[in-house]
């Protein structure tokens, strides 16, 4: 018998029988790849493994399985035919406390290749910086090898990548590295949003790019079309998986009810209904696999876990100050309106149309949601709040997915204005005590923590307080949730990538085209006096240079002042003739950004007045906060000797006030000729300072210059709508409630149009269509 000759005979008859039935009648085939081997099961899944990892293939019923723990047996967690929950529970029960502690960690930011130094941390290769080493871009750094092996980290956050091929190679190296450790748990790679647009990039039909370019999140919301954001999710997930990414630290579904908040631009606007619909579409697009890519329940090889943020809504920051710093540690609810902030979660991300049912992970924000805890009476950061997490999210809303802290909430901090740890309300606890508080509040994972030590200390605290059985059960509970999100995208079966295929997928012409079309749909026309737009091509245009003042970012890095062309003149020249003087122009294009009001805190003011709190203006010119609260709603920090954070009577000028002068001075120079204002908007703004100087106004939320020029020349008609209100003045900003949407007096322009939520113009006038009927009432 030819089939018997292929079997490897050993003395025992029983083993011979196994060889005949499992080895000889196998239903799988093998394919060698550059960095790994694929096993194709007939009628089943494709397995990927690295021969160098020590993992072997075992067979059962003629099918192939990976022997990840190398014990020669097919264990429940290794059997891809079984339900994911059964596999996750089996594996969780096998893990040691130290291994579960590693699962509960989420790495700090990692670039590919690792940076030698910088605010996000550095890395070395054989003890040398990357530039001085012989390492390839996709190699693991010394630090990465350390936290993957010694600390059992299996969740890694990547930032910049040199190329899709480098990202794919890094993924393969990381997966091969961990495959040979203990139970062979794959790395779950994640990313913050990475699909923004490069304004200087030129779009050409049929051309690809580094990654598809889309409008910012506010721009996607400005389409008022959930199908656009669903399409974005489907494309972004395909590109993410080609980069090795299986978890998206997005979407940011905070309801943007506080117009001064610095993270306003990352939201879906201020309306709960629109935000819920957009959230649902986003998560469905990212998480759903279909056809051959589906494994079960809508999950599969094109699925990316969506970690929605930030519970219970990071929008209502008092005075607009952000929770990354101690001076922005409080979210306040003067309108008693927590309910609206929960809607994007409870009616959107937790009520999907697709089969994955709900977002697989949630991230609470840094802030102390002031006086919301009516049970325990604690004012602590959201991740520390048993009421907000265990009682509300897990209890009332029955959420059983992963809950992960925001990055660095357990770290130490040395001052109110330091970009360090963010343990608001728990500053006096040790790091281990913070970990314990968070675990007992119902969370599963610690963002930005590479070291398992504090988690194990927290476990021991729990054993002392509650007993070993209780804490082991609590840790396994989190382990099951975390493992579930690694099983669902098929990482246990095949975490490996074909680097050339990744190169062809990421930024493919098809994806670039879809992103550009979305950019066009996101642009909002606010003003068009006398049908100024569209303009004919080949007219003469004057484009004044923009002044960029010197500045300093969150990480303390400074940028020098400069004068710069605000648009890509090469791209503009494809549409118009550029002239250097207003007198020779048919019209002017003035490109600016919305007012940059700062952070709401000034160390100089602290030294001068003993209170560093200052206003965040949404206007360009000098602003005195005469209408601000005399007494802040919230306050108190170990780093301050007072609790009143009021800035009433203080004065601030926007950092880019020159933009206002640019528009108004250009109007003077142009006389009666058209002035087109193009504004990149990050927050609502007071338009009264510049609106009358503009013949037409287009606003956008991060698009390519080419998209704007296509609209200016009528190649495409503007269709975007405002996903938030534009305030009439700063008085209405000061008097609105941080937690209440659509409660400001809106700017009315010289044409009589009110810049309210849902407003936008097309060539015919004010847009009135099914979108406005659904959301604007």
């Amino acid at each position: 018998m030819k089939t018997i000759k292929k079997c490897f005979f050993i003395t025992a008859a029983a083993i011979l029988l196994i060889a005949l039935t499992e080895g000889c009648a196998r239903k799988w085939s093998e394919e060698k790849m550059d960095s790994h081997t694929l096993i194709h099961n007939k009628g089943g899944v494709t397995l990927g493994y690295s021969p160098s990892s020590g993992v072997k293939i075992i067979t059962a019923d003629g099918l192939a399985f990976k022997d990840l723990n190398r014990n020669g047996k097919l264990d429940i967690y290794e059997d891809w035919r079984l339900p994911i929950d059964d596999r996750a529970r089996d594996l969780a029960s096998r893990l040691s406390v130290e291994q579960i502690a590693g699962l509960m960690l989420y790495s700090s930011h990692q670039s590919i290749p690792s940076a030698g130094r910088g605010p996000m941390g550095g890395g070395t290769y054989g003890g040398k910086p990357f530039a001085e080493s012989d390492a390839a871009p996709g190699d693991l750094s010394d630090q990465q090898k350390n936290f993957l092996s010694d600390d059992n980290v299996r969740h890694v956050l990547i930032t910049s990548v040199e190329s899709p091929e480098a990202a794919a190679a890094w993924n393969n190296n990381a997966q091969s590295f961990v495959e040979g450790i203990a139970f062979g748990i794959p790395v779950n790679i994640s990313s913050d949003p990475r699909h923004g647009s490069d304004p200087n990039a030129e779009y050409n039909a049929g051309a690809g790019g580094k990654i598809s370019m889309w409008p910012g999140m506010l721009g996607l919301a400005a389409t008022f079309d959930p199908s656009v954001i669903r399409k974005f999710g489907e494309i972004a997930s395909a590109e993410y998986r080609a980069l090795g990414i299986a978890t998206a630290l997005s979407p940011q579904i905070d309801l943007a009810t506080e117009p001064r908040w610095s993270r306003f631009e990352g939201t879906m606007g201020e309306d709960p209904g629109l935000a819920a619909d957009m959230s649902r579409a986003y998560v469905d697009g990212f998480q759903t696999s279909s056809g051959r890519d589906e494994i079960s329940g809508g999950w599969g090889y094109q699925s990316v876990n969506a970690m929605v943020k930030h519970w219970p809504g990071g929008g209502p920051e008092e005075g607009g100050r952000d929770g990354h710093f101690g001076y922005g540690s409080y979210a306040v609810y003067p309108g008693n309106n927590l309910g609206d902030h929960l809607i994007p979660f409870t009616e959107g991300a937790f009520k999907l149309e697709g089969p994955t049912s709900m977002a697989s992970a949630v991230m609470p924000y840094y802030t102390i949601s002031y006086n919301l805890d009516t049970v325990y009476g604690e004012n602590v950061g959201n991740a520390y709040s048993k009421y907000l997490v265990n009682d509300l999210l897990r209890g009332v809303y029955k959420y059983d997915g992963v809950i992960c802290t925001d990055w660095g909430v357990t770290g130490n901090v040395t001052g109110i204005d330091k970009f360090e740890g963010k343990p608001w309300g728990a500053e006096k606890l040790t790091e281990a005590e913070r970990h314990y508080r968070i675990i007992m509040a119902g969370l599963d994972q610690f963002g930005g923590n590479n070291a398992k030590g504090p988690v194990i200390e927290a476990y021991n605290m729990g054993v002392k307080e509650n007993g070993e059985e209780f804490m082991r059960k609590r840790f396994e509970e989190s382990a099951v949730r975390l493992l579930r999100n690694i099983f669902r995208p098929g990482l246990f079966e095949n975490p490996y990538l074909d680097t050339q295929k990744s190169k062809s997928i990421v930024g493919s012409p098809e994806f670039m085209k879809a992103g550009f079309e979305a950019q066009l749909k996101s642009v909002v026309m606010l003003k068009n006096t006398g049908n100024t737009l569209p303009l004919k091509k080949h007219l003469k245009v004057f484009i004044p240079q923009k002044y960029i003042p010197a500045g300093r970012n969150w990480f303390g890095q400074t940028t020098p002042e400069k004068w710069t062309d605000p648009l890509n003149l090469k791209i503009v020249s494809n549409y118009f003739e550029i002239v250097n003087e207003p007198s020779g122009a048919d019209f002017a294009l003035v490109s600016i950004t919305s007012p940059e009001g700062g952070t709401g805190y000034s160390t100089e003011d602290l030294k001068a007045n003993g209170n560093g709190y200052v206003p965040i203006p949404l206007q360009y010119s000098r602003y005195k906060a005469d209408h601000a609260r005399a007494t802040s709603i919230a306050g108190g920090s170990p780093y301050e000797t007072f609790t009143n954070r009021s800035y009433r009577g203080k004065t601030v000028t926007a950092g880019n006030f020159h933009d206002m002068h640019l528009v108004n001075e250009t109007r003077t120079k142009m006389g009666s000729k058209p002035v087109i204002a193009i504004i990149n908007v990050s927050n609502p703004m007071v338009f009264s300072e510049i609106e009358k100087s503009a013949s037409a106004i287009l606003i956008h939320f991060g698009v390519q210059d080419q998209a704007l020029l296509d609209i200016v020349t009528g190649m495409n008609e503007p269709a975007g709508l405002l996903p938030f209100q534009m305030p009439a003045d700063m008085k209405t900003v000061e008097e609105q409630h941080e937690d209440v949407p659509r409660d400001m007096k809106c700017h009315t322009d010289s044409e009589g149009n009110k810049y309210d939520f849902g407003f936008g113009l097309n060539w015919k006038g004010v847009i009135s269509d099914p979108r406005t009927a659904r959301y604007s009432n």
Side-chain angles (χ1 to χ4, degrees):
M1 293 173 55
K2 292 182 179 180
T3 54
I4 294 177
K5 290 180 181 179
K6 293 180 182 178
C7 296
F8 185 80
F9 283 91
I10 307 178
T11 55
I15 296 179
L16 173 60
L17 178 61
I18 293 173
L20 286 167
T21 58
E22 295 190 357
C24 303
R26 73 184 194 182
K27 304 172 185 176
W28 51 273
S29 60
E30 184 176 88
E31 180 183 2
K32 299 285 188 181
M33 307 295 287
D34 289 340
S35 62
H36 57 283
T37 298
L38 297 178
I39 302 294
H40 302 284
N41 281 294
K42 186 177 180 180
V45 304
T46 293
L47 307 177
Y49 75 103
S50 171
S52 63
S53 71
V55 166
K56 304 297 182 182
I57 295 298
I58 56 176
T59 59
D61 300 328
L63 299 171
F65 302 85
K66 292 198 287 186
D67 185 14
L68 289 167
N69 59 4
R70 297 167 299 284
N71 66 353
K73 301 176 182 178
L74 178 59
D75 297 307
I76 291 173
Y77 87 95
E78 297 167 334
D79 191 340
W80 45 261
R81 299 169 299 183
L82 298 176
I84 284 172
D85 280 358
D86 291 350
R87 299 175 70 190
R89 282 192 291 268
D90 175 70
L91 179 52
S93 71
R94 298 170 184 269
L95 300 178
S96 68
V97 170
E98 289 77 12
Q99 289 163 335
I100 295 177
L103 270 183
M104 298 173 78
L105 302 175
Y106 223 126
S107 84
S108 57
H109 299 72
Q110 306 292 312
S111 59
I112 300 174
S114 186
R117 60 186 60 86
M120 292 299 186
T124 57
Y125 297 79
K128 298 179 180 179
F130 176 76
E132 300 173 15
S133 73
D134 295 325
D139 286 350
L140 301 182
S141 71
D142 301 331
Q143 293 74 18
Q144 289 162 355
K145 291 177 182 177
N146 181 68
F147 67 63
L148 289 171
S149 59
D150 295 352
D151 291 290
N152 302 310
V153 173
R154 291 298 179 270
H155 295 80
V156 178
L157 170 60
I158 64 169
T159 54
S160 61
V161 298
E162 182 179 281
S163 66
E165 304 98 292
W170 188 92
N171 170 82
N172 291 349
N173 287 329
Q175 302 297 0
S176 176
F177 184 79
V178 299
E179 192 172 64
I181 299 173
F183 294 93
I185 299 173
V187 176
N188 186 348
I189 301 170
S190 71
S191 173
D192 281 310
R194 58 194 314 117
H195 280 85
S197 294
D198 177 0
N200 293 304
E202 186 170 4
Y203 170 73
N204 294 302
K210 291 184 178 180
I211 197 166
S212 62
M213 291 187 284
W214 298 73
M217 190 55 65
L218 274 179
L220 289 169
T223 68
F224 276 55
D225 186 350
S227 70
V228 172
I229 206 166
R230 171 67 187 255
K231 184 69 172 178
F232 164 72
E234 292 169 350
I235 288 174
S237 65
E239 292 183 310
Y240 272 25
R241 291 306 301 265
L243 294 170
I245 298 166
T247 294
L249 303 186
S250 59
Q252 184 187 333
I253 61 177
D254 307 290
L255 202 62
T257 51
E258 169 45 59
R260 295 162 289 189
W261 186 31
S262 62
R263 299 191 70 178
F264 191 102
E265 65 180 327
T267 73
M268 297 175 177
E270 67 175 306
D271 182 76
L274 177 64
D277 287 350
M278 292 298 195
S279 302
R280 186 184 309 109
Y282 187 110
V283 178
D284 269 330
F286 266 84
Q287 291 191 169
T288 306
S289 290
S290 58
R292 295 180 63 182
D293 291 320
E294 183 178 6
I295 298 172
S296 66
W299 291 99
Y301 301 109
Q302 288 300 306
S303 296
V304 172
N305 294 291
M307 184 180 291
V308 295
K309 55 188 187 185
H310 305 87
W311 180 263
E317 305 264 10
E318 184 162 20
R321 300 181 296 272
D322 181 65
H324 279 81
F325 298 90
Y327 56 70
S329 58
Y330 289 100
V332 295
Y333 297 83
N336 194 29
N337 191 37
L338 173 63
D340 275 352
H341 291 264
L342 300 183
I343 287 174
F345 295 91
T346 62
E347 303 303 314
F350 298 169
K351 286 188 178 179
L352 303 182
E353 292 179 353
T356 64
S357 299
M358 64 170 56
S360 65
V362 173
M363 180 189 295
Y365 202 41
Y366 297 118
T367 46
I368 297 169
S369 297
Y370 190 66
N371 284 350
L372 284 189
D373 182 353
T374 58
V375 177
Y376 312 102
E378 293 184 319
N379 277 313
V380 291
N382 295 325
Y384 294 93
S385 174
K386 183 178 180 181
Y387 170 73
L388 290 175
V389 177
N390 188 69
D391 295 8
L392 193 62
L393 181 53
R394 293 227 187 266
V396 175
Y397 295 108
K398 309 300 180 187
Y399 185 76
D400 192 38
V402 168
I403 305 178
C404 177
T405 74
D406 211 330
W407 262 235
V409 302
T410 58
N412 293 317
V413 63
T414 58
I416 200 78
D417 62 339
K418 303 300 183 183
F419 189 72
E420 298 170 343
K422 301 151 188 69
W424 314 138
E427 292 94 336
K428 296 182 180 180
L429 300 180
T430 66
E431 286 197 52
E433 288 170 337
R434 292 172 195 152
H435 282 76
Y436 181 53
R437 279 289 304 269
I438 287 170
I439 291 168
M440 298 310 291
L443 281 84
D444 305 298
Q445 200 165 27
F446 301 93
N449 294 20
N450 292 5
K452 66 184 178 184
V455 184
I456 296 171
E457 284 188 68
Y459 179 86
N460 292 331
M461 290 177 185
V463 170
K464 185 175 181 180
E465 187 171 308
N466 304 289
E468 183 89 37
E469 183 180 353
F470 175 91
M471 283 308 292
R472 174 71 201 192
K473 181 180 179 182
R474 174 66 190 86
F475 262 47
E476 284 193 27
E477 186 178 66
S478 286
V480 169
R481 295 181 186 127
L482 292 161
L483 290 167
R484 190 187 290 146
N485 287 359
I486 304 177
F487 277 112
R488 283 168 166 171
L491 295 179
F492 273 90
E493 278 58 69
N494 182 22
Y496 294 95
L497 299 170
D498 180 332
T499 56
Q500 290 307 305
K501 187 175 181 181
S502 291
K503 180 180 179 181
S504 68
I505 290 173
V506 180
S508 71
E510 175 190 356
F511 294 170
M512 296 294 285
K513 181 176 185 289
F516 189 74
E517 289 173 349
Q519 292 179 49
L520 292 169
K521 293 177 181 179
S522 73
V523 176
V524 182
M525 184 163 69
L526 294 179
K527 186 177 181 182
N528 195 24
T529 304
N531 294 321
T532 299
L533 298 179
L535 294 169
K536 294 181 180 179
K537 280 190 172 184
H538 310 303
L539 292 174
K540 296 178 179 179
V541 61
F542 170 64
I543 303 175
Q545 283 198 318
K546 174 181 168 67
Y547 174 70
I548 309 292
R552 184 184 301 271
N553 67 15
W554 277 5
F555 308 115
Q557 297 169 317
T558 58
T559 53
E561 67 172 0
K562 62 179 179 179
W563 287 90
T564 185
D565 293 319
L567 298 169
N568 185 324
L569 299 187
K570 181 181 178 182
I571 293 177
V572 174
S573 66
N574 294 331
Y575 296 81
F576 302 110
E577 180 184 344
I578 301 170
V579 298
N580 294 325
E581 296 296 331
S583 58
D586 296 309
F587 72 101
L589 272 180
V590 186
S591 181
I592 62 174
T593 57
S594 55
E596 297 167 4
T599 65
Y601 192 83
S602 165
T603 53
E604 291 79 8
D605 213 67
L606 174 65
K607 294 173 183 177
N609 303 305
N611 175 335
Y613 294 90
V614 294
I616 300 176
L618 299 181
Q619 66 182 45
Y620 293 106
S621 60
R622 185 174 181 270
Y623 168 65
K624 185 178 181 184
D626 289 330
H627 300 284
R629 295 185 183 105
T631 303
S632 64
I633 293 174
S637 166
Y639 305 102
E640 290 180 331
T641 58
F642 56 89
T643 58
N644 185 6
R645 296 182 169 188
S646 175
Y647 51 82
R648 188 168 187 171
K650 293 188 178 182
T651 301
V652 171
T653 301
N656 62 333
F657 68 91
H658 293 88
D659 283 5
M660 174 185 67
H661 296 313
L662 192 65
V663 175
N664 295 333
E665 289 171 4
T666 302
R667 162 50 65 208
T668 300
K669 292 175 181 178
M670 292 297 293
S672 61
K673 291 185 286 189
V675 174
I676 316 301
I678 296 176
I679 310 173
N680 188 341
V681 172
S682 298
N683 292 78
M685 58 181 284
V686 176
F687 265 93
S688 58
E689 298 172 310
I690 62 170
E691 177 261 310
K692 290 181 181 179
S693 294
S695 312
I697 298 173
L698 295 175
I699 69 166
H700 67 98
F701 309 96
V703 300
Q704 293 169 255
D705 291 347
Q706 187 173 348
L708 295 166
L709 292 163
D710 276 2
I711 289 175
V712 167
T713 55
M715 294 175 65
N716 288 89
E717 186 171 18
L721 302 169
L722 281 177
F724 52 83
Q725 295 179 317
M726 292 293 188
D729 49 42
M730 280 302 296
K731 180 176 183 290
T732 192
V733 173
E734 297 287 7
E735 293 176 349
Q736 57 89 36
H737 288 161
E738 284 93 336
D739 59 326
V740 177
R742 299 168 62 174
D743 64 339
M744 293 191 293
K745 177 184 177 183
C746 299
H747 175 74
T748 299
D749 69 13
S750 59
E751 303 294 299
N753 290 319
K754 182 184 291 187
Y755 294 179
D756 204 346
F757 173 85
F759 171 74
L761 301 172
N762 57 22
W763 304 142
K764 296 177 182 178
V766 177
I767 296 173
S768 178
D769 60 18
R771 298 174 301 161
T772 58
R774 176 176 175 82
Y775 295 110
S776 295
N777 295 328

